[in-house]
Amino acid sequence: MKSEEIMDICMRRGFLFPSAEIYRGVAGLWDYGPLGTRMKNSWENSWRKHFLSLSPNFHEISTTNILPREVFEASGHLESFNDALAECSSCHSRFKADQLIEENLKISSEGMNLEEINEVMRDNNLKCPQCGGSLSAKFFNLMFKLELGAGESTKEAYLRPETAQGAYLAFKRSFKTLRNKLPLGLAIIGKAFRNEISPRQGFYRLREFHQAELQIFFDPDRVNEHEDFESVKDKKLRIYSIEDRGKEIREVKCKDLDLPKFYLYYMAKIQDFYLETLKLPREMFRFRELDEKEKAFYNKIHWDFELNIESLGGFKEMGGIHYRTDHDLSGHQKISKENLMINVDGKKFIPHVLELSFGGDRNLWALLDLGYEKKERTVLKLPKNVAPYYCAVFPLMKKEELIKKAKEVYKLLSNEFSIMYDDTGSIGKRYRRQDEVGTPYCITIDYDTLDDDTVTLRDRDSMEQERIRIDKIMEILNEKA
Ligand code: GAP
């Protein structure tokens, strides 16, 4: 199976390891190894470069993972961030209700209330997979609860289930610091934590995971405009709306979609991230509109963006573009009693928020899946800007004079690019090793190099080799990047 083959590379070559593996691991917890960490950092840097450059008033901040109870009372997570679980009345095993229903009855229970879930399980005679006992549904809050401090002064707190709340809490000070201007973008790249009931599906549903989220605060009276809308108005978006269910994906120009211009502009920029920055095949991407039952509780408009991931069985959510209105800031104003209104040119209001929310780990898995190819050779055709190494340098043989020259070339390039040096095994095996981890280029130093200062540059995808001068390598690699 493709997912097992990719996971085999991930574990063998140092992308991913099960966390606490010597204790047999824990479902939903994974570590990134050396190559995985490089790839994650590169993906995050590509994300930063793409989204933070959209406006001079977009900034990255870094906020805490632990937040007090009041934050989640205000955001609605304490009340509404629940999954339905099905519990067996005999052996008390617990299952994620929507997963159990979908796997066994092939129907979706998305958005159903507890009564409806119980009815579906009862009417279809769905029993406990462990002991055959009867099942009943109940809600389970997905946040990890903590106690801060000891003794009488303990304080209830939670690990953040999304990075977003940090940006809402930092809004008041950031707005002032950044000279009272809207739109203001606050991005957080960091961890989020959810106590998923049954985190199966390998690397898809995790209990500790990475998010890259950009909260854009703006004036709600200007939701139907964006100063750069002209530049995207004719861009065709790949959409799968509620009315398209069961049909084909459509390509529709931004200006022909019935959504606010501010929202459409960022949809276009998200699509650009996948199709232009990461250069993924167009047909693998789509926006999917969520219906009233599927939408997150804080959203007025909610489309997910999805990639077609063979190892996960089709189009899967990579992130969402969320029009959260003033849901969060008004909630925080109410609970904290702090005034979160702003004054822009004499107009007082609570800004609205458009959130661009990405899951880092899912995006990484998607890139591994889309790049994986197994024919005569195994190769990961990763986008060049996220491959763990951009280039590998080899001496043709383990001879002192070749190693010396190869290390010189390695040194020359390693300030500029992420470079791997390898002198172990035959040259063919070394090429294969780099193909398997997605290194776009390999440079080989041979005896001709010692005579004429040229090297062989091999391309991962075409396997073509060209002879280039050492003093041109930097320029050529930069051009190819
Ligand atoms: N701030 C909005 C928010 O958190 P979400 O749809 O719940 O929205 C955003 O999460 C993204 O985070 C998802 O699209 C997904 O990529 C990622 N994500 C959510 N839960 C996850 C989990 N349990 N494991 C891995 N990634 C997850």
Side-chain angles (χ1 to χ4, degrees):
M1 255 166 68
K2 189 174 181 185
S3 58
E4 282 162 14
E5 289 169 17
I6 298 173
M7 196 44 100
D8 174 59
I9 296 181
C10 286
M11 306 250 256
R12 214 165 20 78
R13 303 303 309 276
F15 285 85
L16 300 173
F17 306 131
S19 169
E21 191 176 11
I22 59 169
Y23 294 99
R24 294 191 182 73
V26 181
L29 297 183
W30 287 85
D31 292 338
Y32 282 89
L35 268 66
T37 303
R38 279 177 181 272
M39 187 175 167
K40 185 173 79 62
N41 290 343
S42 300
W43 182 85
E44 289 174 353
N45 285 335
S46 298
W47 188 94
R48 278 189 182 96
K49 216 164 156 185
H50 185 89
F51 290 104
L52 295 185
S53 66
L54 293 177
S55 160
N57 206 26
F58 285 3
H59 310 269
E60 185 174 352
I61 58 172
S62 178
T63 65
T64 61
N65 290 328
I66 301 173
L67 289 167
R69 176 194 165 88
E70 293 81 353
V71 171
F72 301 108
E73 206 180 319
S75 68
H77 282 80
L78 269 177
E79 192 190 329
S80 306
F81 198 54
N82 299 315
D83 254 2
L85 62 79
E87 184 168 354
C88 173
S89 58
S90 308
C91 71
H92 301 288
S93 295
R94 290 167 157 197
F95 310 91
K96 196 165 183 295
D98 60 348
Q99 238 170 39
L100 197 69
I101 291 173
E102 195 168 334
E103 281 169 15
N104 289 279
L105 309 177
K106 310 284 172 244
I107 47 177
S108 164
S109 62
E110 186 101 41
M112 284 185 187
N113 61 33
L114 289 183
E115 222 171 277
E116 289 165 331
I117 293 173
N118 277 325
E119 206 176 292
V120 167
M121 295 197 298
R122 207 175 39 244
D123 291 354
N124 291 282
N125 204 22
L126 186 60
K127 297 289 183 198
C128 169
Q130 301 288 354
C131 74
S134 56
L135 295 164
S136 68
K138 54 172 78 160
F139 277 133
F140 171 79
N141 193 285
L142 291 177
M143 288 194 295
F144 286 104
K145 191 171 168 180
L146 304 172
E147 238 177 41
L148 295 185
E152 304 220 323
S153 58
T154 57
K155 187 162 176 53
E156 187 177 324
Y158 292 84
L159 286 176
R160 64 183 184 192
E162 56 169 359
T163 67
Q165 295 304 322
Y168 306 142
L169 300 174
F171 171 71
K172 192 173 176 177
R173 278 198 184 276
S174 305
F175 184 67
K176 264 196 199 148
T177 315
L178 297 163
R179 310 183 80 87
N180 303 335
K181 271 194 265 163
L182 290 185
L184 164 66
L186 295 180
I188 299 178
I189 300 181
K191 290 205 169 182
F193 306 83
R194 296 183 190 177
N195 196 2
E196 299 287 352
I197 300 166
S198 59
R200 282 177 289 169
Q201 283 185 293
F203 201 59
Y204 185 72
R205 199 173 292 285
L206 308 176
R207 287 179 165 141
E208 176 173 337
F209 55 99
H210 296 84
Q211 289 188 321
E213 296 191 305
L214 174 61
Q215 313 298 325
I216 309 170
F217 301 84
F218 67 99
D219 177 349
D221 289 341
R222 306 186 75 169
V223 69
N224 234 324
E225 54 191 88
H226 189 285
E227 60 179 10
D228 249 351
F229 188 74
E230 276 299 297
S231 67
V232 301
K233 71 177 195 316
D234 290 318
K235 202 172 262 290
K236 286 186 172 171
L237 300 182
R238 292 180 53 77
I239 65 152
Y240 188 63
S241 67
I242 293 166
E243 64 191 55
D244 295 324
R245 299 283 163 90
K247 300 188 210 149
E248 298 287 299
I249 294 164
R250 285 183 294 145
E251 297 230 355
V252 186
K253 284 186 181 168
C254 271
K255 65 180 182 196
D256 297 331
L257 279 164
D258 188 18
L259 286 165
K261 285 190 177 140
F262 199 74
Y263 193 90
L264 281 168
Y265 176 80
Y266 290 100
M267 281 178 95
K269 293 298 160 186
I270 288 171
Q271 183 171 295
D272 284 353
F273 177 64
Y274 286 100
L275 304 189
E276 290 171 23
T277 296
L278 298 176
K279 298 196 171 19
L280 299 183
R282 197 171 176 84
E283 66 281 8
M284 293 300 175
F285 177 86
R286 74 177 185 191
F287 287 106
R288 177 178 175 276
E289 184 182 15
L290 276 72
D291 64 29
E292 281 309 317
K293 284 185 166 182
E294 295 168 320
K295 268 192 222 169
F297 62 90
Y298 42 74
N299 281 335
K300 181 172 171 191
I301 304 177
H302 186 166
W303 291 64
D304 281 340
F305 35 94
E306 302 184 331
L307 290 173
N308 193 351
I309 308 304
E310 196 189 342
S311 61
L312 294 173
F315 275 100
K316 292 284 168 186
E317 174 190 342
M318 296 294 119
I321 170 160
H322 305 152
Y323 183 15
R324 293 177 77 132
T325 65
D326 62 345
H327 169 89
D328 300 272
L329 287 185
S330 290
H332 289 305
Q333 175 167 275
K334 187 166 159 220
I335 301 291
S336 69
K337 312 268 187 299
E338 278 280 327
N339 181 5
L340 297 180
M341 296 257 264
I342 55 167
N343 185 335
V344 179
D345 301 331
K347 186 170 131 189
K348 288 188 181 158
F349 61 100
I350 293 190
H352 275 200
V353 170
L354 181 71
E355 175 186 58
L356 318 187
S357 173
F358 292 68
D361 317 271
R362 278 186 196 178
N363 273 274
L364 247 65
W365 182 265
L367 294 175
L368 293 168
D369 177 289
L370 292 171
Y372 180 75
E373 202 177 280
K374 191 177 179 188
K375 292 183 184 154
E376 304 85 57
R377 61 176 181 147
T378 301
V379 56
L380 271 183
K381 291 186 173 169
L382 296 174
K384 290 177 195 173
N385 40 5
V386 298
Y389 291 103
Y390 182 58
C391 182
V393 174
F394 313 141
L396 181 66
M397 284 178 287
K398 232 176 170 172
K399 298 279 184 214
E400 204 178 313
E401 59 276 35
L402 295 181
I403 289 176
K404 185 165 170 270
K405 194 74 184 165
K407 289 201 168 154
E408 274 172 36
V409 174
Y410 170 83
K411 252 194 168 155
L412 171 79
L413 299 176
S414 56
N415 279 338
E416 187 90 357
F417 303 106
S418 170
I419 306 286
M420 136 75 85
Y421 173 86
D422 188 6
D423 59 18
T424 310
S426 73
I427 194 75
K429 277 198 180 134
R430 279 181 268 164
Y431 283 145
R432 296 288 170 268
R433 277 208 291 269
Q434 295 308 316
D435 287 347
E436 205 185 37
V437 299
T439 309
Y441 300 104
C442 293
I443 289 174
T444 306
I445 280 74
D446 55 24
Y447 282 104
D448 287 342
T449 314
L450 303 182
D451 290 338
D452 61 7
D453 260 357
T454 62
V455 295
T456 302
L457 180 70
R458 174 190 182 264
D459 182 290
R460 174 194 71 195
D461 299 345
S462 64
M463 292 197 287
E464 271 167 20
Q465 302 192 3
E466 55 180 314
R467 200 78 197 167
I468 58 171
R469 289 165 50 94
I470 289 181
D471 60 5
K472 290 274 174 204
I473 298 181
M474 193 70 97
E475 190 185 322
I476 292 172
L477 286 182
N478 263 319
E479 244 168 51
K480 289 182 185 287

